[in-house]
Amino acid sequence: MDKVFTSAEVANHNTENSCWVALYGKVYDVTHMLSSHPGGAQAILRVSGRDATEDFDPIHPSDTLESLQSALIGSLFLDEESSDATQTKDTPDEIDDNSLLNLEEIEKVATSVISKKAWAYYYSAADDKITKDFNTQVYRSLLLRPRVFVDCRRCNAETELLGWKVGLPIYVSPTAMARLGHPSGEAGIAEACGAFGALQIIANNSSLSPEQVVANAFPTQVFGWQLYVQLDRRASEAMLARVNRLDPIKFVVLTLDAPVSGKREDDERINVQVNPAGSVSTQLFAGTDPSLTWHETLEWLSQHTKKPIILKGLQTHEDVAIAARYTPLVQAVILSNHGGRSLDTAPPAVHTLLEVRKYSPHVFKKMEVWVDGGIRRGTDVVKALCLGAKAVGIGRPALWGLAAGGVQGVERTLQILLDETKTCMRLLGATTVNDLGPHYINSRIVEQQIYQASAIIEHEGAVVCKGKL
C-alpha cells in the first residue's frame, strides 16, 4: 500500500535539499528535478511543500505526469483544507445564442464566470496595452468602398490555405492555457473549428498535448502546431518528432515575436495577490531560447521536420522580404505583434501589411501572408483580406468563447464572425473571397501612419527594400 502523507508532512519539504509537491492526490519528491526544469528551480520551489494541482493542471498536459512517475513517493491525505484547494470553478456549457450578438458581449460573459487567474492571463498585454488596443482601433480607420448592382444572393467564404481547403478565411491563432477557462481546453476549440471547417494552430504551451487536441478531429480538419524553440534543443526536437507523426497537423509555426515575455502587469498583479507561483506568462516563457537567428534556426528546423514552415510574429516589411528569400522552406508568414502582449507600441498587423504592399509587393507572389491581432468584427476580416492577407487569425475571442460556453461558445464566436464577414462581402459587392481586393478599401488615413523607408536595406548582400532616399 502507498505511504500516505498529511499536508503538514508535505509542508516540511520545501527547500532545495528536499522538495516535495502534491499533484492530484499523489506526493512527488522532485528534488532531483530542480536543476533540469525548463523554468528553473524557482518555478518548482514556489509551489513546493503543498498541493500544487491548481497551479499545475491548467498549464501542463496530462502526459507530463508520466515523466514524474519515478519521483512518486506516496499519496496525500485529503483533509478538508487540501480538498478545498483542488476545487475548480464551474463554467457554463451553454450560452444563449440569441442574446449574444457580438464578440464583446461574449467576452463580458466569459469575464463574469472565469477565475481571476484566467482572466488576468487572457486579458493582459504589455505595459500600457497601447498596441493591444490599437490592434482593434486601426481597423476602424480603414473605410470600405461598396459597389452596387451586384447580384449578391449567394456568398461563399470558403478558401484555401497552403493548398488545404477551409470553410472560412478565419483561423484560431495559437492560444495557450485554454483549460484555464474551460475543462475542454484546446480540444474544445478543435471541436468547434471542426464544425466550421476552420483551421486551428495548436499552441506550444497548450494545456493539452497535441495528440489530445487532434484525437477527435474530422478527416479534413487542418491544424498547425506552434513552436517556441527551447534552450534545451532536445526538448524541442522531441516535440517536433511527435508532431511529425500526427497527420492532422499540416505545418509548423515558428513564433518569433516573443523571444522573452512582455511585461504583462494584469497577469503579474493578480498572481502576486493570489498565487505565489508567479505569473502564468513568466512560467510559460521560462526556458525559451532568445538567441535565434535566421539561417541557423531555419536550417536546424528543416532537419527536424518536413512539414511546411510558417514564420509568425513578423512586424516589418524588411523581415517579411527576408522571409520570402527562404521559400519554399518557408511557405507563409503571419504578421503579428503577439496580441500586444510582447512589445508595447509595436505596429499592428495592418501597418505591416500596408508596408509590405508598398515596399515589398513581390512577397505576395512568393508566399501567403496571414495576419492576426485585434479582429473583432467581420468587417475587420474583410478589410485584411482586401489588403492582401490570405487568412485572418483570432486568439482571445476563441478563449473568451470557450470560457463563456465551452464548445458552443467557440462555435457562437465563429458563427458571428462568419455571418458578419458574409454580410460585409455581400454589401461590398463581393461574392467570393477571391473577389476581394484593395479597390474595396480606402486606406489613406492609415497609410499616413506607416513607416517611411529612407534607405536601401540589405540582408546577406541582397537588397530587400528600396525605400525613399
Side-chain angles (χ1 to χ4, degrees), residues 6-7 22 51 53 76-87:
T6 65
S7 296
D51 190 338
T53 304
L76 179 68
F77 176 70
L78 294 178
D79 53 26
E80 183 177 353
E81 179 182 356
S82 60
S83 178
D84 290 342
T86 61
Q87 295 297 311

Side-chain angles (χ1 to χ4, degrees), residues 13-85:
H13 299 270
N14 61 351
T15 68
E16 292 183 358
N17 296 323
S18 182
C19 181
W20 293 9
V21 294
L23 297 169
Y24 309 103
K26 300 293 185 181
V27 179
Y28 299 86
D29 182 350
V30 293
T31 310
H32 67 289
M33 298 182 177
L34 294 176
S35 61
S36 60
H37 189 269
Q42 286 302 314
I44 300 179
L45 288 171
R46 286 170 180 157
V47 295
S48 63
R50 66 181 181 89
D51 190 338
T53 304
E54 187 176 353
D55 303 287
F56 180 93
D57 182 77
I59 295 179
H60 297 82
S62 58
D63 57 5
T64 306
L65 281 179
E66 296 176 8
S67 64
L68 295 177
Q69 290 309 301
S70 62
L72 180 62
I73 58 175
S75 300
L76 179 68
F77 176 70
L78 294 178
D79 53 26
E80 183 177 353
E81 179 182 356
S82 60
S83 178
D84 290 342

Side-chain angles (χ1 to χ4, degrees), residues 42-345:
Q42 286 302 314
I44 300 179
L45 288 171
R46 286 170 180 157
V47 295
S48 63
R50 66 181 181 89
D51 190 338
T53 304
E54 187 176 353
D55 303 287
F56 180 93
D57 182 77
I59 295 179
H60 297 82
S62 58
D63 57 5
T64 306
L65 281 179
E66 296 176 8
S67 64
L68 295 177
Q69 290 309 301
S70 62
L72 180 62
I73 58 175
S75 300
L76 179 68
F77 176 70
L78 294 178
D79 53 26
E80 183 177 353
E81 179 182 356
S82 60
S83 178
D84 290 342
T86 61
Q87 295 297 311
T88 56
K89 187 174 182 179
D90 292 333
T91 53
D93 288 318
E94 295 184 4
I95 58 176
D96 186 348
D97 285 359
N98 295 322
S99 66
L100 299 179
L101 303 180
N102 56 60
L103 270 56
E104 182 179 356
E105 292 178 357
I106 291 178
E107 180 178 339
K108 287 181 179 179
V109 171
T111 299
S112 70
V113 297
I114 61 175
S115 68
K116 292 181 179 179
K117 177 179 180 178
W119 174 85
Y121 178 66
Y122 293 167
Y123 183 83
S124 63
D127 297 352
D128 298 306
K129 296 191 276 290
I130 293 171
T131 290
K132 177 192 175 185
D133 295 338
F134 195 43
N135 280 345
T136 297
Q137 294 168 8
V138 69
Y139 281 101
R140 309 300 180 257
S141 296
L142 294 169
L143 303 180
L144 294 167
R145 303 183 66 247
R147 303 303 301 271
V148 298
F149 276 132
V150 177
D151 183 351
C152 59
R153 286 173 293 178
R154 296 182 178 85
C155 182
N156 186 354
E158 295 178 354
T159 189
E160 288 190 1
L161 300 177
L162 298 182
W164 290 289
K165 292 183 179 180
V166 292
L168 64 171
I170 303 165
Y171 66 93
V172 174
S173 298
T175 49
M177 301 301 102
R179 290 185 67 232
L180 278 174
H182 191 275
S184 65
E186 292 80 4
I189 295 176
E191 183 178 343
C193 286
F196 285 82
L199 183 151
Q200 177 186 0
I201 302 175
I202 304 168
N204 187 112
N205 292 317
S206 170
S207 52
L208 295 174
S209 69
E211 292 87 353
Q212 291 173 308
V213 178
V214 306
N216 298 312
F218 291 110
T220 57
Q221 202 164 343
V222 180
F223 294 87
W225 184 74
Q226 177 199 36
L227 171 65
Y228 283 118
V229 180
Q230 300 298 298
L231 288 166
D232 180 2
R233 288 289 177 95
R234 293 172 299 177
S236 293
E237 291 165 4
M239 280 302 302
L240 284 167
R242 289 170 58 182
V243 168
N244 288 337
R245 294 191 291 267
L246 297 174
D247 185 64
I249 298 180
K250 304 299 186 183
F251 55 90
V252 173
V253 178
L254 177 60
T255 294
L256 301 169
D257 52 14
V260 297
S261 176
K263 186 172 183 282
R264 307 172 188 176
E265 293 180 3
D266 291 304
D267 190 18
E268 292 181 11
R269 183 176 299 107
I270 197 67
N271 281 281
V272 167
Q273 294 173 357
V274 303
N275 180 8
S279 71
V280 175
S281 301
T282 300
Q283 296 176 62
L284 294 182
F285 278 90
T288 302
D289 187 351
S291 66
L292 305 186
T293 58
W294 283 97
H295 186 71
E296 183 274 333
T297 304
L298 291 176
E299 182 178 29
W300 166 80
L301 184 54
S302 68
Q303 294 172 356
H304 293 282
T305 187
K306 299 306 177 186
K307 295 180 184 287
I309 296 170
I310 295 179
L311 301 183
K312 179 181 183 293
L314 280 70
Q315 298 166 82
T316 65
H317 69 275
E318 296 97 328
D319 280 345
V320 173
I322 294 171
R325 297 187 61 226
Y326 285 90
T327 56
L329 174 63
V330 175
Q331 295 194 13
V333 293
I334 300 177
L335 311 183
S336 173
N337 53 41
H338 216 82
R341 292 161 73 82
S342 288
L343 178 63
D344 203 13
T345 68

Side-chain angles (χ1 to χ4, degrees), residues 398-409:
L399 293 174
W400 295 131
L402 186 73
V407 175
Q408 185 188 3

Side-chain angles (χ1 to χ4, degrees), residues 317-318 351 355 358-359 447-455 457 465:
H317 69 275
E318 296 97 328
H351 279 206
E355 275 192 26
K358 183 174 183 179
Y359 298 118
E447 287 173 357
Q448 297 176 55
Q449 301 172 322
I450 70 169
Y451 173 74
Q452 180 68 51
S454 58
I457 301 168
C465 167

